[in-house]
């Protein structure tokens, strides 16, 4: 009659007679280090201390390596959010959209081009101008009401700020192109 591991007396495990030599050569399962079973000498097994690194609650591990990357949708959302913040601050401080709005657009385009994932590179130069136009529509005051007034205000706002728009979009496109070429060269050298 075979007993379970917990009810067998201390010492080496006994094998039932009549089993093959192949089965006898395979060792049985070992006891965990913190088991209460006694060893062959009759002393109690002492568990090994385990070192665990515990981080304070609410804090993650320190970041190392590359920064987090934006997806195509994340780049669009970040661009619109960034441009709305910049446009709101410019409107509050200077009562209109001026140089601060243009400089903010350059910063947003640069950040998009640098932080977008490699597989979503075309999203950076596309989402910047869309965010620029969305910020103009939502923050710029409109003299005439209705759809026609919105379209005319958007067209005039884009025409007046075309220098900033083309500069930011060109900056994003240049960074994306450089990243694409560097990525291709890196893959070839592998």
């Amino acid at each position: 009659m075979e007993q379970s591991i917990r009810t067998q007396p201390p010492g080496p495990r006994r094998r039932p007679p009549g089993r093959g030599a192949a089965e006898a050569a395979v060792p049985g399962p070992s006891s965990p280090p913190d088991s209460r079973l006694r060893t062959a000498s009759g002393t109690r097994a002492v568990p090994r201390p385990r070192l665990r690194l515990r981080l304070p609650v609410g804090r993650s591990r320190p970041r190392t390596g590359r920064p987090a990357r934006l997806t195509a949708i994340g780049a669009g959302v970040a661009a619109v959010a960034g441009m709305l913040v910049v446009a709101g601050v410019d409107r509050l401080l200077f009562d209109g959209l001026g140089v601060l709005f243009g400089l903010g657009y350059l910063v947003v385009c640069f950040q998009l081009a640098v932080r977008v994932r490699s597989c979503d590179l075309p999203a950076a130069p596309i989402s910047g101008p869309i965010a620029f136009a969305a910020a103009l529509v939502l923050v710029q005051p409109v003299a005439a009401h209705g759809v026609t007034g919105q379209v005319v205000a958007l067209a005039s706002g884009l025409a007046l700020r075309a220098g900033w728009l083309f500069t930011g979009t060109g900056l994003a496109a240049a960074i994306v192109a450089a990243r694409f070429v560097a990525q291709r060269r890196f893959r070839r050298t592998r």
Side-chain angles (χ1 to χ4, degrees):
M1 179 158 120
E2 189 172 327
Q3 295 178 343
S4 72
I5 294 175
R6 297 209 184 265
T7 59
Q8 284 185 357
R13 286 186 58 175
R14 289 178 258 190
R15 304 259 181 223
R19 298 252 173 128
E23 286 183 23
V26 177
S30 64
S31 62
D34 57 350
S35 171
R36 295 182 184 230
L37 297 177
R38 297 184 184 266
T39 61
S41 64
T43 61
R44 188 171 266 194
V46 178
R48 288 185 186 173
R50 294 182 183 173
L51 298 177
R52 291 186 182 170
L53 176 63
R54 293 190 182 208
L55 298 172
V57 176
R59 298 180 83 186
S60 61
R61 290 187 174 172
R63 291 183 57 191
T64 58
R66 298 185 336 202
R69 296 291 183 188
L70 292 172
T71 62
I73 294 174
V77 170
V80 170
M83 287 309 299
L84 286 176
V85 167
V86 168
V89 168
D90 196 13
R91 178 92 189 261
L92 286 174
L93 293 179
F94 301 112
D95 200 32
L97 300 178
V99 175
L100 184 62
F101 182 70
L103 290 174
Y105 178 67
L106 292 179
V107 170
V108 166
C109 285
F110 175 78
Q111 288 297 321
L112 287 177
V114 170
R115 295 191 183 273
V116 74
R117 294 187 317 175
S118 297
C119 59
D120 294 327
L121 283 176
I126 293 171
S127 59
I130 293 172
F132 189 89
L136 281 177
V137 167
L138 296 174
V139 178
Q140 184 177 353
V142 178
H145 297 290
V147 176
T148 307
Q150 288 284 344
V151 171
V152 169
L154 177 62
S156 63
L158 289 173
L160 290 173
R161 294 166 186 86
W164 292 111
L165 182 64
F166 289 135
T167 304
T169 307
L171 174 68
I175 292 172
V176 163
R179 283 185 61 192
F180 180 75
V181 169
Q183 179 184 4
R184 296 279 299 223
R185 285 185 182 170
F186 179 74
R187 286 184 182 169
R188 281 185 192 163
T189 58
R190 270 190 180 178

